[in-house]
Amino acid sequence: MRVALYLRLSDEDHDKLTKEELSESIKNQESMLKNYAIENQWNVVGIYQDEDYSGADRDRPNFNKMIKECEMGNIDIVLVKTQSRFARDIELIDKYVHNKFYEWNVRFITYLEKIDNTRKETKKTSQITSMVDEWYIEDTSINIRATLKSKRENGEFTGSFAPYGYQKDPENKNHLIIDNVVAPIIKRIYVDYLKGDSLKKISDCLNQENILSPLEYKRLNGSKLQIPLTKRFENYQSIKQVGNYKLDVIYYNNERERKKDLITYQYLSSTNNHLIYTLQNYSSNKIDLYYSLCQNINEKNFKLKEWRKIKKGDSLPTSVNCIAIHIKDLQYKQAIFYQFDIELKENKCHNEYFFIFHHYLNNKLSNLNFDIKIRKKYKWSIQTIKNILTNEFYIGNLVQFKSTHVSYKNHTVIHNNKSKWIRANNTHEAIIESEIWNKVQNKLKSNTRSTKNGNIHPLSNKVFCSECNKSFIKCGKSNSNGYSYLCCRDKLEKWKNCNNKKYINEKIMHTFLLEKINNFIHTFFDEAEFRKLERKHQPVFESNTSQEQELNFLQGKLQSKNKYFTNLYESYTKGILNQQEFLMLKTKYQNEIEILKKRINTITYNITTTNNPKKKKINIPTLENLDSSFINTFIDKILISPYDKNNNTRKIEIIWNLTKE
């Protein structure tokens, strides 16, 4: 008889048991069931194990694999420790144990409860047990929901994963602390958007600079977060769908002898003009990668001098279908790796691309062990940028319970009304100032559109018709200087409702606004107030000698820190430090370097001010070009009146966005 053993550890087990106890629990389950199978002279044909899954979860991967094997007739008996390990769902028990297993001629047996679906007297035991198990899941779900609600109302973070830019506090998992590695990226996104960059331009720039997206950064730090949110791990055997992928190849030397000058080949199944390889990373100087445009490469006609070396960041020509890897030195129990970014731009023919490996050592096939993984690469997107710009996490607020599941049995996500959201303010340190966040929200509500170069026009949604209150839009193509003409939006309706039909030259608008804005700056610039503020923050200086001595000492210390930081990165690339150690040390030394730079700047300023006690002339700032950030801050709207033919004039009114401050 062919028997399958099913083992399961649920979320509640993790709360009760230590890591050692969890490991022992699985081993005990397996040992117990194996011994029982041996006693009954059954042949164990499969062991299926799911961890971190509830008994009410219908998407357990290995559970579903086992069910598939039962349906195909490859299993005669399903053996479990208790029925609850198989499922805590009445519908699943009834569907499989009391229906489908009869249809497929599969026997279901529990070790402890002695339930056997071939014995009618145990059916009621099975049904009562499943009902009690489901009551347990339902009660647990109610208790968990009540606990989470209480925590949210108290301002505690209840998410499984900290939002990008934050980490869970090691001393309190319900409290967030700033992740100093990526917090500058958050600040940059806000600054770029306010200065006029569109969401698309921001995401494109981050991708071009190879800055890891939030999901890729979480993966780098060991998070199991997936998109879509599922427990299935995506690992492709080949590439077929258009998109971006990561190809990771790791070589292991499990043989006793040391290997030198090992050459391997990686073949693509077929060439395609839309497939682009870019080398992202590789193991230090122990590995070199090459490509050739030649066909039918093998170990006999391989001449390293005739091949072209691939450097980090290089993209391969699309005609390349073979890559050679030269491993200079691979010691026993050592591992090396390389990584490619792969982009499939188009696949109208629905081709499937996979990879073939040949390993040669001294012109002979080698049994070198290797591991290859192809997975989706998640890049920065417009939606990701928008989520960051609208998330109140970054001003120190928690807004939770935006979505939930239908029930403990139905995991369909439903989005709650705003009235059900649970809000708590000032629960953690903010990355973005509230004033900046509010400016961004106002700008997002204006629905501004970007130009071809990805910048948002500084006057977008600011210029309106004084007659019909519709916005002024560009009419016609821009000239060589980038200027065009503006007209009332009513033109799109063939001037049905507005008499303000005269166009206005965009260049004239710009000149007029710059003049008015600079007059505004000069009018409100108060030198006396500036001098008063300067004196208020004037530092108490030490003697110049001690200041200069400290400056020399700090500059030497900064140089030493920079050198150490360079060595730290080399240790990481050589594999001496793992990713977690590198990121931890990197953050530490970046913070120390930043503190040193601030102190150096302060001392330099103090010395300069002490040596030059005379009052310096203040140059009043003058705006030379229209700036999106300035326009949004100080101008509410600009009203364009109809053209006066008699006086050959036109009234342009600026409504200033002034606050009490």
Short mmCIF file of all heavy atoms in Angstrom, two decimals, residues 591-629:
data_model
loop_
_atom_site.label_atom_id
_atom_site.label_comp_id
_atom_site.label_asym_id
_atom_site.label_seq_id
_atom_site.Cartn_x
_atom_site.Cartn_y
_atom_site.Cartn_z
N ASN A 591 26.29 57.20 9.80
CA ASN A 591 25.84 58.13 10.84
C ASN A 591 27.02 58.86 11.48
O ASN A 591 26.97 60.08 11.72
CB ASN A 591 25.06 57.37 11.92
CG ASN A 591 23.73 56.87 11.42
OD1 ASN A 591 23.21 57.38 10.43
ND2 ASN A 591 23.17 55.89 12.09
N GLU A 592 28.11 58.13 11.75
CA GLU A 592 29.29 58.74 12.35
C GLU A 592 29.93 59.76 11.41
O GLU A 592 30.36 60.84 11.83
CB GLU A 592 30.31 57.66 12.73
CG GLU A 592 29.85 56.79 13.88
CD GLU A 592 30.84 55.69 14.21
OE1 GLU A 592 31.87 55.57 13.50
OE2 GLU A 592 30.59 54.94 15.16
N ILE A 593 29.98 59.41 10.12
CA ILE A 593 30.54 60.32 9.11
C ILE A 593 29.70 61.59 9.01
O ILE A 593 30.21 62.70 8.91
CB ILE A 593 30.65 59.61 7.74
CG1 ILE A 593 31.78 58.57 7.77
CG2 ILE A 593 30.89 60.62 6.63
CD1 ILE A 593 31.83 57.68 6.54
N GLU A 594 28.35 61.43 9.05
CA GLU A 594 27.46 62.59 8.96
C GLU A 594 27.65 63.52 10.16
O GLU A 594 27.67 64.74 10.01
CB GLU A 594 26.00 62.08 8.90
CG GLU A 594 24.99 63.15 8.54
CD GLU A 594 25.20 63.71 7.15
OE1 GLU A 594 25.71 62.97 6.27
OE2 GLU A 594 24.88 64.89 6.94
N ILE A 595 27.82 62.96 11.35
CA ILE A 595 28.04 63.77 12.56
C ILE A 595 29.36 64.54 12.45
O ILE A 595 29.44 65.72 12.79
CB ILE A 595 28.04 62.86 13.81
CG1 ILE A 595 26.63 62.31 14.05
CG2 ILE A 595 28.53 63.62 15.04
CD1 ILE A 595 26.57 61.22 15.10
N LEU A 596 30.40 63.85 11.94
CA LEU A 596 31.70 64.51 11.76
C LEU A 596 31.60 65.67 10.78
O LEU A 596 32.14 66.76 11.03
CB LEU A 596 32.74 63.49 11.27
CG LEU A 596 33.33 62.53 12.31
CD1 LEU A 596 34.17 61.47 11.62
CD2 LEU A 596 34.17 63.29 13.32
N LYS A 597 30.89 65.46 9.68
CA LYS A 597 30.77 66.52 8.66
C LYS A 597 30.04 67.74 9.21
O LYS A 597 30.42 68.89 8.94
CB LYS A 597 30.03 65.97 7.43
CG LYS A 597 30.87 65.04 6.56
CD LYS A 597 30.07 64.58 5.35
CE LYS A 597 30.93 63.70 4.44
NZ LYS A 597 30.15 63.22 3.27
N LYS A 598 28.98 67.50 10.00
CA LYS A 598 28.23 68.62 10.58
C LYS A 598 29.11 69.44 11.53
O LYS A 598 29.08 70.66 11.53
CB LYS A 598 27.00 68.08 11.31
CG LYS A 598 25.89 67.62 10.39
CD LYS A 598 24.68 67.14 11.19
CE LYS A 598 23.57 66.69 10.25
NZ LYS A 598 22.39 66.18 11.01
N ARG A 599 29.90 68.72 12.35
CA ARG A 599 30.78 69.41 13.31
C ARG A 599 31.86 70.20 12.57
O ARG A 599 32.18 71.34 12.94
CB ARG A 599 31.42 68.38 14.26
CG ARG A 599 32.35 68.99 15.30
CD ARG A 599 31.65 70.02 16.15
NE ARG A 599 32.56 70.64 17.13
CZ ARG A 599 32.34 71.79 17.72
NH1 ARG A 599 31.23 72.49 17.47
NH2 ARG A 599 33.21 72.28 18.60
N ILE A 600 32.42 69.62 11.49
CA ILE A 600 33.45 70.30 10.68
C ILE A 600 32.87 71.58 10.07
O ILE A 600 33.51 72.64 10.07
CB ILE A 600 33.99 69.36 9.59
CG1 ILE A 600 34.89 68.28 10.24
CG2 ILE A 600 34.77 70.13 8.53
CD1 ILE A 600 35.32 67.19 9.28
N ASN A 601 31.64 71.49 9.55
CA ASN A 601 31.00 72.67 8.94
C ASN A 601 30.77 73.77 9.99
O ASN A 601 30.96 74.95 9.72
CB ASN A 601 29.67 72.27 8.30
CG ASN A 601 29.87 71.43 7.06
OD1 ASN A 601 30.92 71.47 6.44
ND2 ASN A 601 28.86 70.65 6.70
N THR A 602 30.35 73.34 11.20
CA THR A 602 30.10 74.32 12.28
C THR A 602 31.38 75.04 12.67
O THR A 602 31.41 76.27 12.81
CB THR A 602 29.51 73.60 13.51
OG1 THR A 602 28.30 72.95 13.13
CG2 THR A 602 29.23 74.58 14.63
N ILE A 603 32.47 74.26 12.86
CA ILE A 603 33.75 74.86 13.27
C ILE A 603 34.28 75.78 12.17
O ILE A 603 34.79 76.88 12.44
CB ILE A 603 34.79 73.76 13.59
CG1 ILE A 603 34.34 72.97 14.82
CG2 ILE A 603 36.16 74.37 13.85
CD1 ILE A 603 35.19 71.77 15.12
N THR A 604 34.17 75.34 10.91
CA THR A 604 34.64 76.16 9.79
C THR A 604 33.89 77.49 9.76
O THR A 604 34.49 78.56 9.55
CB THR A 604 34.42 75.41 8.46
OG1 THR A 604 35.09 74.15 8.52
CG2 THR A 604 34.98 76.22 7.29
N TYR A 605 32.58 77.42 9.98
CA TYR A 605 31.77 78.66 10.01
C TYR A 605 32.20 79.57 11.17
O TYR A 605 32.33 80.79 11.03
CB TYR A 605 30.29 78.30 10.14
CG TYR A 605 29.39 79.49 10.35
CD1 TYR A 605 29.02 80.33 9.29
CD2 TYR A 605 28.90 79.80 11.64
CE1 TYR A 605 28.22 81.43 9.49
CE2 TYR A 605 28.09 80.90 11.84
CZ TYR A 605 27.74 81.71 10.78
OH TYR A 605 26.93 82.80 10.97
N ASN A 606 32.42 78.96 12.34
CA ASN A 606 32.81 79.74 13.53
C ASN A 606 34.13 80.46 13.30
O ASN A 606 34.29 81.64 13.65
CB ASN A 606 32.93 78.82 14.75
CG ASN A 606 31.58 78.29 15.20
OD1 ASN A 606 30.54 78.77 14.75
ND2 ASN A 606 31.59 77.29 16.07
N ILE A 607 35.10 79.74 12.73
CA ILE A 607 36.42 80.34 12.48
C ILE A 607 36.30 81.49 11.49
O ILE A 607 36.87 82.57 11.68
CB ILE A 607 37.41 79.27 11.96
CG1 ILE A 607 37.70 78.25 13.08
CG2 ILE A 607 38.70 79.92 11.48
CD1 ILE A 607 38.53 77.06 12.61
N THR A 608 35.53 81.26 10.43
CA THR A 608 35.36 82.29 9.39
C THR A 608 34.69 83.54 9.97
O THR A 608 35.08 84.67 9.69
CB THR A 608 34.51 81.73 8.23
OG1 THR A 608 35.11 80.54 7.75
CG2 THR A 608 34.40 82.74 7.11
N THR A 609 33.65 83.31 10.79
CA THR A 609 32.90 84.44 11.38
C THR A 609 33.77 85.23 12.36
O THR A 609 33.74 86.46 12.41
CB THR A 609 31.65 83.92 12.11
OG1 THR A 609 30.93 83.06 11.23
CG2 THR A 609 30.76 85.06 12.55
N THR A 610 34.58 84.50 13.15
CA THR A 610 35.45 85.16 14.14
C THR A 610 36.53 85.98 13.44
O THR A 610 36.88 87.09 13.87
CB THR A 610 36.12 84.11 15.04
OG1 THR A 610 35.11 83.28 15.59
CG2 THR A 610 36.87 84.77 16.18
N ASN A 611 37.07 85.46 12.36
CA ASN A 611 38.13 86.16 11.63
C ASN A 611 37.60 87.32 10.81
O ASN A 611 38.35 88.19 10.40
CB ASN A 611 38.86 85.19 10.70
CG ASN A 611 39.69 84.18 11.49
OD1 ASN A 611 40.06 84.44 12.64
ND2 ASN A 611 39.97 83.04 10.89
N ASN A 612 36.27 87.29 10.53
CA ASN A 612 35.68 88.36 9.72
C ASN A 612 34.48 88.94 10.47
O ASN A 612 33.32 88.69 10.14
CB ASN A 612 35.21 87.80 8.36
CG ASN A 612 36.36 87.21 7.57
OD1 ASN A 612 37.13 87.91 6.94
ND2 ASN A 612 36.47 85.88 7.62
N PRO A 613 34.76 89.71 11.51
CA PRO A 613 33.68 90.23 12.35
C PRO A 613 32.84 91.31 11.70
O PRO A 613 31.79 91.66 12.19
CB PRO A 613 34.43 90.78 13.57
CG PRO A 613 35.77 91.16 13.03
CD PRO A 613 36.08 90.19 11.95
N LYS A 614 33.31 91.86 10.57
CA LYS A 614 32.58 92.94 9.92
C LYS A 614 31.27 92.42 9.35
O LYS A 614 31.17 91.29 8.91
CB LYS A 614 33.43 93.54 8.78
CG LYS A 614 34.67 94.26 9.29
CD LYS A 614 35.43 94.85 8.12
CE LYS A 614 36.68 95.59 8.60
NZ LYS A 614 37.44 96.15 7.47
N LYS A 615 30.29 93.29 9.39
CA LYS A 615 28.98 92.93 8.85
C LYS A 615 29.09 92.75 7.33
O LYS A 615 29.60 93.61 6.63
CB LYS A 615 27.97 94.03 9.16
CG LYS A 615 26.56 93.71 8.67
CD LYS A 615 25.62 94.88 8.78
CE LYS A 615 25.21 95.12 10.20
NZ LYS A 615 24.14 96.15 10.29
N LYS A 616 28.62 91.63 6.88
CA LYS A 616 28.66 91.35 5.45
C LYS A 616 27.40 91.87 4.79
O LYS A 616 26.32 91.84 5.36
CB LYS A 616 28.78 89.84 5.22
CG LYS A 616 30.09 89.25 5.71
CD LYS A 616 30.13 87.76 5.40
CE LYS A 616 31.44 87.15 5.88
NZ LYS A 616 31.50 85.70 5.62
N LYS A 617 27.55 92.23 3.56
CA LYS A 617 26.40 92.70 2.80
C LYS A 617 25.53 91.50 2.42
O LYS A 617 26.01 90.48 1.97
CB LYS A 617 26.87 93.42 1.53
CG LYS A 617 25.73 93.99 0.72
CD LYS A 617 26.24 94.67 -0.53
CE LYS A 617 25.08 95.19 -1.36
NZ LYS A 617 25.55 95.82 -2.61
N ILE A 618 24.25 91.65 2.64
CA ILE A 618 23.31 90.57 2.31
C ILE A 618 22.75 90.81 0.92
O ILE A 618 22.21 91.88 0.62
CB ILE A 618 22.17 90.51 3.34
CG1 ILE A 618 22.73 90.22 4.73
CG2 ILE A 618 21.14 89.47 2.95
CD1 ILE A 618 21.69 90.26 5.81
N ASN A 619 22.89 89.82 0.06
CA ASN A 619 22.31 89.90 -1.27
C ASN A 619 20.89 89.35 -1.24
O ASN A 619 20.66 88.19 -0.89
CB ASN A 619 23.14 89.09 -2.27
CG ASN A 619 24.52 89.69 -2.46
OD1 ASN A 619 24.67 90.90 -2.54
ND2 ASN A 619 25.53 88.83 -2.51
N ILE A 620 19.92 90.20 -1.56
CA ILE A 620 18.53 89.76 -1.58
C ILE A 620 18.35 88.78 -2.73
O ILE A 620 18.74 89.06 -3.86
CB ILE A 620 17.59 90.97 -1.75
CG1 ILE A 620 17.79 91.95 -0.60
CG2 ILE A 620 16.15 90.51 -1.82
CD1 ILE A 620 16.98 93.21 -0.73
N PRO A 621 17.79 87.60 -2.45
CA PRO A 621 17.65 86.58 -3.49
C PRO A 621 16.71 87.04 -4.60
O PRO A 621 15.73 87.74 -4.37
CB PRO A 621 17.07 85.38 -2.75
CG PRO A 621 16.43 85.95 -1.52
CD PRO A 621 17.25 87.15 -1.17
N THR A 622 17.05 86.64 -5.82
CA THR A 622 16.24 86.97 -6.99
C THR A 622 15.95 85.68 -7.76
O THR A 622 16.86 84.91 -8.06
CB THR A 622 16.96 87.96 -7.91
OG1 THR A 622 17.24 89.16 -7.18
CG2 THR A 622 16.10 88.29 -9.12
N LEU A 623 14.69 85.46 -8.08
CA LEU A 623 14.29 84.27 -8.83
C LEU A 623 14.52 84.50 -10.31
O LEU A 623 14.06 85.51 -10.87
CB LEU A 623 12.80 83.98 -8.56
CG LEU A 623 12.33 82.56 -8.83
CD1 LEU A 623 12.96 81.58 -7.87
CD2 LEU A 623 10.80 82.49 -8.71
N GLU A 624 15.28 83.63 -10.97
CA GLU A 624 15.60 83.79 -12.39
C GLU A 624 14.69 82.96 -13.28
O GLU A 624 14.49 83.28 -14.45
CB GLU A 624 17.06 83.41 -12.64
CG GLU A 624 18.05 84.33 -11.92
CD GLU A 624 19.49 83.96 -12.20
OE1 GLU A 624 19.72 82.96 -12.90
OE2 GLU A 624 20.38 84.67 -11.71
N ASN A 625 14.18 81.84 -12.75
CA ASN A 625 13.26 81.00 -13.51
C ASN A 625 12.08 80.62 -12.63
O ASN A 625 12.19 80.58 -11.40
CB ASN A 625 13.95 79.72 -13.99
CG ASN A 625 15.07 80.00 -14.97
OD1 ASN A 625 14.83 80.54 -16.04
ND2 ASN A 625 16.28 79.66 -14.59
N LEU A 626 10.95 80.34 -13.26
CA LEU A 626 9.78 79.93 -12.49
C LEU A 626 10.04 78.58 -11.85
O LEU A 626 10.42 77.62 -12.53
CB LEU A 626 8.54 79.85 -13.40
CG LEU A 626 7.99 81.20 -13.90
CD1 LEU A 626 6.73 80.97 -14.70
CD2 LEU A 626 7.71 82.14 -12.75
N ASP A 627 9.84 78.53 -10.56
CA ASP A 627 10.11 77.32 -9.80
C ASP A 627 8.79 76.74 -9.30
O ASP A 627 7.99 77.43 -8.67
CB ASP A 627 11.02 77.66 -8.61
CG ASP A 627 11.30 76.44 -7.77
OD1 ASP A 627 12.15 75.63 -8.17
OD2 ASP A 627 10.65 76.31 -6.72
N SER A 628 8.56 75.44 -9.59
CA SER A 628 7.29 74.80 -9.23
C SER A 628 7.05 74.85 -7.73
O SER A 628 5.94 75.12 -7.27
CB SER A 628 7.30 73.34 -9.71
OG SER A 628 6.12 72.69 -9.38
N SER A 629 8.11 74.61 -6.95
CA SER A 629 7.97 74.61 -5.49
C SER A 629 7.56 75.98 -4.98
O SER A 629 6.68 76.11 -4.13
CB SER A 629 9.28 74.16 -4.84
OG SER A 629 9.18 74.19 -3.45
#
